[in-house]
Structure formats: structure tokens, C-alpha cells
Amino acid sequence: MDHLLTVASRECDGASWRIRLPSEDRDEDGGRAVPVDPTALELGGVDAVYAFRCRARPDRPFAHGWDCG
């Protein structure tokens, strides 16, 4: 299975924003210019949903999983 897509509840968290926050969301000093969770996206209580596809088996081309952190 090849990883196709990840849809995450948060772009970053309180600890990882320093390495994961895009430059356009930073202020002129490199700090956070936006909240850690600006969209407030809630995926039914999970942290992320992952989609996979299988190129080898045309009868089952997609699969999914989720992460509850």
C-alpha cells in the first residue's frame, strides 16, 4: 500500500510548532503569528486519518487508517 493522503486535526501542536509551522504563519521574529489550531478541525475524536492505495491489487485499490493520539 502506498500512502496517498493524510488529513490531520492539527497542523502542529504546542511543542512541535517550531519545526512544523509554515513560514507564512510566523511573525517577523519567527514566532507564532497564528494559533496552534487555527481551523479547530475535529475528525471525530481522532488525530489524523490516512488514506492508502494499492497499485498491485485492482480489486482492493484503497485502504484507510486513523491515529488516536
Side-chain angles (χ1 to χ4, degrees):
M1 299 298 280
D2 296 321
H3 179 252
L4 180 64
L5 174 73
T6 297
V7 179
S9 291
R10 292 193 174 99
E11 189 169 348
C12 58
D13 59 28
S16 67
W17 72 266
R18 289 173 182 83
I19 59 173
R20 295 185 181 197
L21 192 66
S23 59
E24 61 268 15
D25 292 341
R26 295 177 181 268
D27 62 17
E28 60 274 355
D29 297 323
R32 273 194 330 238
V34 297
V36 172
D37 190 10
T39 63
L41 179 66
E42 178 62 44
L43 298 173
V46 300
D47 290 335
V49 176
Y50 307 97
F52 302 92
R53 76 175 188 169
C54 180
R55 296 182 194 180
R57 292 191 54 195
D59 60 322
R60 187 174 174 120
F62 295 98
H64 70 281
W66 56 87
D67 181 16
C68 296

